[in-house]
Amino acid sequence: EALASYRELAEQLAGELGLDPSPELTALQHAILTQDPALAARTRPAAGDGPPRTNLPAPLTSLIGRADAVTEVRALLASGRLVTLTGPGGVGKTRLAVEIATSQQDFFPNGVWLAELAAAGQAGGQSGEPDGRAAPHSTAAQADVTELVSAALGIRDDDAAGAPAARLAAALRTRQMLLVLDNCEHVIGPAARLAEQLLAAAPGLRIVATSQEPLAIRGEQLYEVPPLQLPEGTELEALAQAAAVQLFAARAAAAAPGFALDADNTDAVAVICRRLDGMPLALELAAARVRGLGVHALADRLDDRFRLLAAATHTGPTRQQTLRAVIDWSWDLATEPEHIVLRRLAVHAEGCTLAAAEFVCAGRGVDRADVAGLLARLVDRSLVTVTQGADGPRYRLLESVAAYGAERLREAGETDRAQLRHREFYTALAEQARPQLRGHRQRQWLERLDRETANVHSALDGAVRRGEAHLALRLAGAMTWYWFLRGRLTEASRVLAAALATGADEPGAERAYALAWQAGITLLAGGGAGAAGGGDLTGAAGSAGAAADPAERARAALTMYDGVDDLRGRAEAEWLLGFAASDFGDPALGEDLVDRALTAFRALGDRWGMAAALSTRAKLAAIRGAQASVRDDGEQSLSLFRELGDGWGQLQATEWLGALCETAGDYEQGRRLHTEGLALATDLGLWPQAADRLSWLGRIAMLLGDYEQARELLEHA
């Protein structure tokens, strides 16, 4: 706003004095007003005839969704002399570099130039590489890079004296120009050496490089070109704001006249953009298929994306005419150990931790100690993305790269082994998480399993599909407490039913545990046949799956523990079924089961089990109006759960102690207990529990006559 005010004042004064600004001043004013420091240091050259000052191609289409990127890269270029645009193939590095260079061509007296390096080393297989490319660090590749840059700049190389790179550096010594070095990844060493030499010799030179990995030289500033913004929903207005959708719609309209976003196609367009990860080249290839397929058929066929997404024209570089060719280009630049890690990573769903990658990717050609370094190289090559999370770095493949990796995994005959390693890792992770979900690290492990939901589902589906009953029952059983805490009872029941069907003839503690939880979840969901997807309690339980009577269902589940040496498992099953029966409305059954569980937990010295049973017993005492028992059991339970650091357990205990305070008319103490519970539920992300606490607080506010606060709390609940 200040700059605009100064401009108005300057124009007013210039008009009153009869002055016309010089071209230099006009250029400087333009630079300041566009807030572009790179332009502020330049002056506009005098117009007139002369040799061309650029070889940039004229773009045939508009650049969509990159306005912020253009501004950010120009600012980097103002503060440094080398900016490298990195990112995976097809993300639009070249198009962005050309746009940046085009916007600056009036401010470099000696022009703005593009040197395309994709052809470097491809003339005649100079190094014996099978695809005809020179090795990325070879002398031949160095000569090719220098020759391509010299040719792009129109600098003759007919002086035999001196090395070509030195002669090129000497020719640029006094020039003020911008040079774009495009597609450096396959000649990364030669391109880096030449860039360093030219920048050292020519202080007026600035370079924008595009590469799937950094040049790694002094003074380099990296700009990671992200995929285009993805839609957050499927509403037409929100969808139209996403850059990925804007690009797809624009190119689809060009390929299929009459195409437009509307309420009938928003779902399909959102699926296409998300499954193609917002990658511009993939979106353009997909848009070219709209005329023949329409968006709904296109979205349905993306599982076969490599056959589907081939260019409709053949005027662009070969490596960009199909989606497969784009990834082939990157794959061919990687080493064999990198190939092994990349293809094995493809068995993960929605990313993985370093520990998971090391477990799944190691062996048969790759040492476990080398996996971290190979992952770092794949990140540098833009084949793997990495984000930092609470449990360390998380590695992810774009969906198209994952599909490509899965193909390569099948070709190598490694799919079965990699998937088995994946199932083993996530079963062990779930079993590691189970006790942690009942202690001080409850929140951290809830969040960790939240992040691994897709991997756990993939592992469970694989174990069921391959008939691995023992693994399926172990994993399903280990995950039940997580599903219970998150309130995902239908999901838990479905998975338990599938795992139990896989191991229909397998006796043992895992099967008994799964049956008990299936019965408990069915009771919690309403108790009737088929509730919560309850399925059939097979084996010794007979037809218990169809039993609507809670007592019969609980007894049928517990008979599975007859002959199984698992006292703690039986005690937990008794507590769970008692907890569920009291919730369902059979307090007599609940009291019997919980008392038996409490006796067993005390004999085992299991403090968590004791706390859980005492909390449920306090609830049952509240139902029958035994206030002294509510206080005694509730306070013992709360004390134990606090020592253990179990937030969920503290929520159970404070609920009934708070209810007791309300009955006794001690509203302030009740409010303190429910407020404590609300904080715990919010911290753990247990939203049904948070809603429950808000409801209790609303009741207390109403009893105190504060109807405005009561309404606010209850509406929030």
Side-chain angles (χ1 to χ4, degrees), residues 479-564:
M479 287 295 294
T480 50
W481 188 244
Y482 164 78
W483 288 319
F484 175 81
L485 290 176
R486 283 291 186 236
R488 286 153 57 174
L489 300 184
T490 300
E491 177 182 353
S493 186
R494 177 185 62 79
V495 173
L496 286 167
L500 286 164
T502 305
D505 299 324
E506 180 168 322
E510 288 86 3
R511 179 170 174 76
Y513 189 85
L515 280 164
W517 268 95
Q518 188 189 43
I521 287 170
T522 304
L523 291 175
L524 288 169
D536 188 21
L537 292 176
T538 55
S543 61
D549 176 49
E552 184 180 347
R553 180 176 287 276
R555 282 192 296 271
L558 288 172
T559 58
M560 291 302 298
Y561 275 99
D562 295 343
V564 173

Side-chain angles (χ1 to χ4, degrees), residues 157-243:
D157 189 21
D158 52 10
D159 180 2
R167 294 199 301 272
L168 177 58
L172 301 184
R173 191 173 304 278
T174 61
R175 299 195 185 189
Q176 295 185 39
M177 65 164 55
L178 175 64
L179 173 62
V180 178
L181 297 177
D182 192 32
N183 288 297
C184 298
E185 58 272 349
H186 67 299
V187 283
I188 195 70
R193 285 191 291 274
L194 181 63
E196 191 167 40
Q197 188 171 357
L198 296 182
L199 288 168
L205 174 67
R206 278 178 164 79
I207 295 177
V208 173
T210 73
S211 177
Q212 291 182 20
E213 61 180 296
L215 300 186
I217 62 176
R218 288 173 299 175
E220 180 182 33
Q221 299 183 92
L222 296 179
Y223 185 85
E224 186 174 349
V225 181
L228 293 175
Q229 176 198 3
L230 292 171
E232 295 182 359
T234 57
E235 295 296 327
L236 183 57
E237 184 176 349
L239 199 73
Q241 300 302 312

Side-chain angles (χ1 to χ4, degrees), residues 5-335:
S5 299
Y6 284 128
R7 178 178 65 178
E8 293 174 6
L9 178 60
E11 290 174 347
Q12 179 184 351
L13 291 172
E16 292 176 357
L17 295 172
L19 300 175
D20 289 323
S22 67
E24 291 78 13
L25 184 57
T26 300
L28 180 60
Q29 181 192 59
H30 173 75
I32 293 171
L33 292 174
T34 56
Q35 298 182 13
D36 188 340
L39 300 185
R42 306 290 173 195
T43 57
R44 186 182 299 275
D49 296 332
R53 297 178 47 259
T54 185
N55 67 341
L56 294 175
L60 299 177
T61 56
S62 59
L63 184 66
I64 294 174
R66 297 299 195 196
D68 289 344
V70 170
T71 300
E72 290 164 9
V73 175
R74 282 162 55 169
L76 288 175
L77 200 57
S79 60
R81 296 174 54 216
L82 169 63
V83 179
T84 302
L85 309 183
T86 64
V91 79
K93 300 182 294 294
T94 298
R95 182 66 179 85
L96 177 59
V98 169
E99 185 75 14
I100 292 162
T102 300
S103 72
Q104 300 218 50
Q105 60 184 320
D106 288 341
F107 303 97
F108 285 90
N110 298 114
V112 175
W113 305 89
L114 171 67
E116 169 56 68
L117 304 184
Q122 294 189 23
Q126 302 166 61
S127 67
E129 292 293 306
D131 62 357
R133 283 189 299 214
H137 299 280
S138 69
T139 302
Q142 187 73 62
D144 272 1
V145 169
T146 304
E147 290 168 6
L148 286 168
V149 174
S150 296
L153 296 174
I155 295 175
R156 297 178 59 181
D157 189 21
D158 52 10
D159 180 2
R167 294 199 301 272
L168 177 58
L172 301 184
R173 191 173 304 278
T174 61
R175 299 195 185 189
Q176 295 185 39
M177 65 164 55
L178 175 64
L179 173 62
V180 178
L181 297 177
D182 192 32
N183 288 297
C184 298
E185 58 272 349
H186 67 299
V187 283
I188 195 70
R193 285 191 291 274
L194 181 63
E196 191 167 40
Q197 188 171 357
L198 296 182
L199 288 168
L205 174 67
R206 278 178 164 79
I207 295 177
V208 173
T210 73
S211 177
Q212 291 182 20
E213 61 180 296
L215 300 186
I217 62 176
R218 288 173 299 175
E220 180 182 33
Q221 299 183 92
L222 296 179
Y223 185 85
E224 186 174 349
V225 181
L228 293 175
Q229 176 198 3
L230 292 171
E232 295 182 359
T234 57
E235 295 296 327
L236 183 57
E237 184 176 349
L239 199 73
Q241 300 302 312
V245 173
Q246 292 173 5
L247 177 67
F248 177 81
R251 303 300 187 257
F259 172 83
L261 284 175
D262 57 37
D264 293 331
N265 62 29
T266 53
D267 287 349
V269 170
V271 167
I272 292 167
C273 292
R274 291 193 187 104
R275 293 203 61 192
L276 296 179
D277 297 297
M279 297 293 284
L281 180 60
L283 291 171
E284 294 195 1
L285 292 172
R289 292 287 173 258
V290 170
R291 181 180 180 184
L293 291 175
V295 292
H296 293 93
L298 180 62
D300 291 341
R301 286 164 173 76
L302 284 179
D303 284 343
D304 193 19
R305 66 185 63 200
F306 295 121
R307 182 177 306 186
L308 184 67
L309 302 184
T313 63
H314 303 284
T315 56
T318 302
R319 68 182 186 280
Q320 293 185 356
Q321 289 180 4
T322 69
L323 184 60
R324 184 187 300 280
V326 172
I327 307 176
D328 279 341
W329 172 265
S330 302
W331 174 270
D332 291 341
L333 296 174
T335 64

Side-chain angles (χ1 to χ4, degrees), residues 314-370:
H314 303 284
T315 56
T318 302
R319 68 182 186 280
Q320 293 185 356
Q321 289 180 4
T322 69
L323 184 60
R324 184 187 300 280
V326 172
I327 307 176
D328 279 341
W329 172 265
S330 302
W331 174 270
D332 291 341
L333 296 174
T335 64
E336 181 55 25
E338 291 167 359
H339 290 165
I340 293 172
V341 171
L342 184 64
R343 67 189 182 226
R344 292 174 184 173
L345 278 178
V347 300
H348 294 92
E350 297 183 9
C352 67
T353 62
L354 177 58
E358 288 175 328
F359 187 88
V360 173
C361 297
R364 298 188 182 182
V366 172
D367 290 337
R368 183 171 185 142
D370 294 333

